[in-house]
């Protein structure tokens, strides 16, 4: 038994060492697998970071491009609005000028009729359409208008009088 005990202890120790060696071998293999997985994860993370940075850079460029385009559009719109104001001012100026020309022309024609004898003016205005005759008479003094209407045919004078009345109202 004395000889068997050290033998048993030796076999047990030998078995334990073999078992320990196998465990160490398994742990080393597992460690290598985990290190490979860790490298793969690190590569994937680096690829993700690179893609993220590229995407953000592209987004920033497009955003800057859009801001520039928006600024250009706003500048163009402001320029168009300024030109529109200038055109409207010119149109208003042209309208006033045209109105002044029409008024001067009407005044000149009215002065011509005012200088005529009432009978001659009545004869000419009697040949015109009533609305045109009323427009001319509207620029004359009431006394002159009365003298001219008195020399016209009563029917034509009546039409012109009604048109003159509507124009003043």
């Amino acid at each position: 038994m004395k000889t068997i005990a050290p033998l048993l202890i030796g076999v047990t120790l030998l078995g334990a060492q073999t078992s320990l060696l196998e465990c160490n071998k398994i742990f080393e293999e597992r460690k290598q697998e985990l290190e490979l997985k860790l490298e793969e994860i690190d590569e994937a993370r680096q690829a993700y970071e690179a893609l993220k940075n590229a995407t953000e850079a592209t987004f920033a460029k497009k955003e800057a491009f859009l801001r520039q385009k928006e600024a250009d559009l706003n500048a163009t719109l402001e320029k168009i609005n300024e030109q529109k104001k200038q055109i409207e001012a010119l149109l208003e100026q042209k309208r006033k000028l045209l109105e002044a020309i029409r008024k001067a022309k009407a005044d000149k024609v009215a002065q011509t009729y005012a200088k005529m004898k009432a009978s001659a003016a009545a004869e000419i205005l009697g040949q015109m359409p009533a609305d045109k005759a009323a427009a001319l008479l509207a620029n004359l003094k009431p006394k002159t208008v009365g003298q001219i209407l008195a020399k016209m045919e009563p029917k034509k004078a009546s039409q012109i009088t009604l048109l003159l009345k509507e124009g003043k109202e």
Side-chain angles (χ1 to χ4, degrees), residues 42-56:
D42 190 47
E43 287 175 7
R45 184 188 56 77
Q46 288 176 0
Y48 166 74
E49 289 294 326
L51 181 62
K52 177 183 166 191
N53 291 337
T55 303
E56 286 175 353

Side-chain angles (χ1 to χ4, degrees), residues 96-110 139:
K96 287 179 181 178
L97 186 59
L98 184 60
E99 186 59 36
I101 291 170
R102 285 182 183 156
K103 177 105 172 96
K105 189 176 175 183
D107 287 346
K108 188 170 184 168
V109 172
N139 293 318

Side-chain angles (χ1 to χ4, degrees), residues 122-140:
E123 183 68 31
I124 295 170
L125 291 171
Q127 300 297 317
M128 288 184 187
D131 59 336
K132 302 282 183 187
L136 287 171
L137 290 174
N139 293 318
L140 297 175

